[in-house]
Amino acid sequence: MKLHIAVLAGDGIGPEISKVGVDVMEAVCRKFNHEVTFTPALCGAAAIDAVGDPFPEETFEICRQADAVLFSAVGDPKYDNNPAAKVRPEQGLLAMRKKLGLFANIRPVQTFDCLVHKSPLKEELVRGADFVCIRELTGGMYFGAKKEGDDEAFDTCAYTRPEVERILKVAFEYAMRRRRHLTVVDKANVLASSRLWRKVAQEMAPNYPEVTTDYMYVDNAAMRMIQEPRFFDVMVTENTFGDILTDEGSCITGSMGLLPSASTGESTPVFEPIHGSWPQAKGKNIANPLAQVLSVAMLFEYFNLMDEAALVRRIVDKSLDENVRTPEIQVEGGGVYGTKEVGAWLVEQIEAC
């Protein structure tokens, strides 16, 4: 198989973990006799500094023509700490999602037995937790009409029936492939947009009789994720709620550095770790690359290359079991491994299989 991958390393630790992801993907493709090419492109603060645009037209064209995008992270303190900045790195991420029509963000939340002690929750609550958050990505307040002034400001949360139907279809289909339990998260008791979500979900549910569908207010869902994370199988919600809940879900595992994601829709899919750019760690060779590597596994799965994905996941599990880990998840007395060293070990294991 031939694959053409756009590589958007971005800012902060992005270039370091991006290299590991590319190296792992190249090693797997060599193993399975696939032909893969990579085209780098600018985004985020790096793109602003170079051309004044966080998602330049050239980058969009590279992404549009690729089979998939391997993305890392955007964000830089010099923009975060400047409320007057007219252009911000994160605007590049939103532009990429909108221009590529990436309306569905899929974030698996899965615990690793050897790391449950790292979770802030009790082991008996988190062990075995395994669910998927599906977040609508191109609607709601992030893209609705806005006003910002000294005395008044607003962000409009607007959704149309087609926008809701297409993300719910993704969610129902994911539930069919898993344990057939879907939770629709909204705030239908106070928000009109949420009542549309619930109405459409109730209309669609009979088309999936094998799926148990329940409905939960977002505040209750946030509480339930902490009290009983194993309750969930597939969760679907609108953009803002999804942004908050998926970050909450990431803490359940004990490390944001272990969770990948996929954004899919009308055009080229994007695969990325859920963590940010962690600028304080830039260049220090301490960033955990495993979420980036697991994003490569999700990329392979998207193209139905299941054996390739399974190999990536096995090697990641092996690295954790054998304590080949970066500092924030290393056990006491474990070896010292940086980002580069973990990456080199993963490639070595793939080549030895």
Side-chain angles (χ1 to χ4, degrees):
M1 185 175 186
K2 292 184 178 181
L3 289 170
H4 176 205
I5 308 301
V7 179
L8 277 59
D11 309 320
I13 62 170
E16 298 169 69
I17 62 171
S18 178
K19 184 181 186 311
V20 175
V22 168
D23 289 348
V24 166
M25 189 171 182
E26 280 187 320
V28 173
C29 286
R30 286 195 300 269
K31 174 71 65 176
F32 287 87
N33 297 314
H34 300 307
E35 183 180 327
V36 60
T37 57
F38 299 96
T39 302
L42 289 171
C43 67
I48 297 174
D49 292 343
V51 299
D53 186 339
F55 189 64
E57 188 65 22
E58 181 181 357
T59 297
F60 169 57
E61 284 300 319
I62 289 172
C63 293
R64 189 178 63 82
Q65 295 175 22
D67 296 310
V69 176
L70 189 62
F71 177 81
S72 296
V74 294
D76 190 286
K78 68 182 176 183
Y79 296 99
D80 296 340
N81 298 328
N82 180 10
K86 300 299 183 184
V87 182
R88 298 178 181 277
E90 293 77 13
Q91 291 171 340
L93 185 57
L94 296 179
M96 178 171 66
R97 292 168 179 170
K98 196 70 172 180
K99 295 181 78 170
L100 293 176
L102 304 175
F103 62 84
N105 181 238
I106 294 94
R107 291 192 178 186
V109 177
Q110 182 180 7
T111 54
F112 296 83
D113 285 348
C114 63
L115 285 171
V116 291
H117 66 285
K118 286 283 188 178
S119 173
L121 303 183
K122 294 179 180 178
E123 181 176 329
E124 59 266 27
L125 295 179
V126 298
R127 186 177 292 277
D130 177 9
F131 60 95
V132 174
C133 296
I134 297 180
R135 168 190 170 192
E136 199 287 324
L137 209 54
T138 58
M141 286 194 292
Y142 290 7
F143 293 94
K146 302 176 184 298
K147 177 181 178 181
E148 183 173 355
D150 293 335
D151 301 309
E152 181 186 26
F154 61 77
D155 300 277
T156 306
C157 185
Y159 276 102
T160 65
R161 174 178 284 270
E163 288 177 316
V164 178
E165 287 177 341
R166 67 184 183 180
I167 191 68
L168 286 172
K169 183 175 185 290
V170 172
F172 276 113
E173 289 176 352
Y174 256 85
M176 286 290 293
R177 296 196 296 268
R178 289 176 50 90
R179 300 192 300 274
R180 302 188 176 187
H181 175 203
L182 176 64
T183 303
V184 181
V185 177
D186 59 36
K187 192 63 175 172
N189 55 337
V190 294
L191 297 178
S193 57
S194 282
R195 287 192 287 274
L196 175 64
W197 272 72
R198 186 167 294 207
K199 175 180 172 62
V200 174
Q202 290 172 342
E203 291 173 357
M204 293 178 65
N207 298 326
Y208 301 89
E210 303 95 335
V211 176
T212 299
T213 306
D214 50 41
Y215 305 87
M216 194 175 293
Y217 296 149
V218 62
D219 42 353
N220 186 27
M223 180 176 64
R224 194 76 176 269
M225 284 174 65
I226 298 301
Q227 292 179 326
E228 192 184 359
R230 289 194 298 265
F231 169 82
F232 296 102
D233 177 26
V234 178
M235 171 193 299
V236 63
T237 191
E238 63 89 48
N239 203 345
T240 305
F241 295 160
D243 193 0
I244 297 166
L245 290 177
T246 50
D247 274 8
E248 180 187 6
S250 72
C251 295
I252 291 172
T253 68
S255 173
M256 292 183 74
L258 290 169
L259 298 181
S261 74
S263 297
T264 65
E266 301 167 0
S267 185
T268 313
V270 174
F271 301 88
E272 62 181 292
I274 73 161
H275 58 69
S277 60
W278 196 13
Q280 298 84 355
K282 178 181 178 180
K284 295 183 179 179
N285 193 37
I286 60 173
N288 184 355
L290 294 185
Q292 182 83 84
V293 172
L294 289 170
S295 298
V296 171
M298 292 188 76
L299 187 157
F300 282 134
E301 288 163 350
Y302 179 87
F303 292 103
N304 203 32
L305 300 174
M306 307 309 288
D307 291 340
E308 291 84 340
L311 174 58
V312 174
R313 294 185 184 280
R314 285 200 306 274
I315 296 304
V316 167
D317 287 343
K318 186 176 181 182
S319 75
L320 294 172
D321 291 340
E322 297 189 12
N323 296 327
V324 180
R325 315 179 189 184
T326 46
E328 92 285 0
I329 57 169
Q330 184 58 289
V331 297
E332 186 176 351
V336 179
Y337 295 91
T339 312
K340 296 177 183 177
E341 289 73 25
V342 170
W345 188 91
L346 293 170
V347 169
E348 180 181 306
Q349 297 300 308
I350 291 168
E351 292 173 342
C353 288

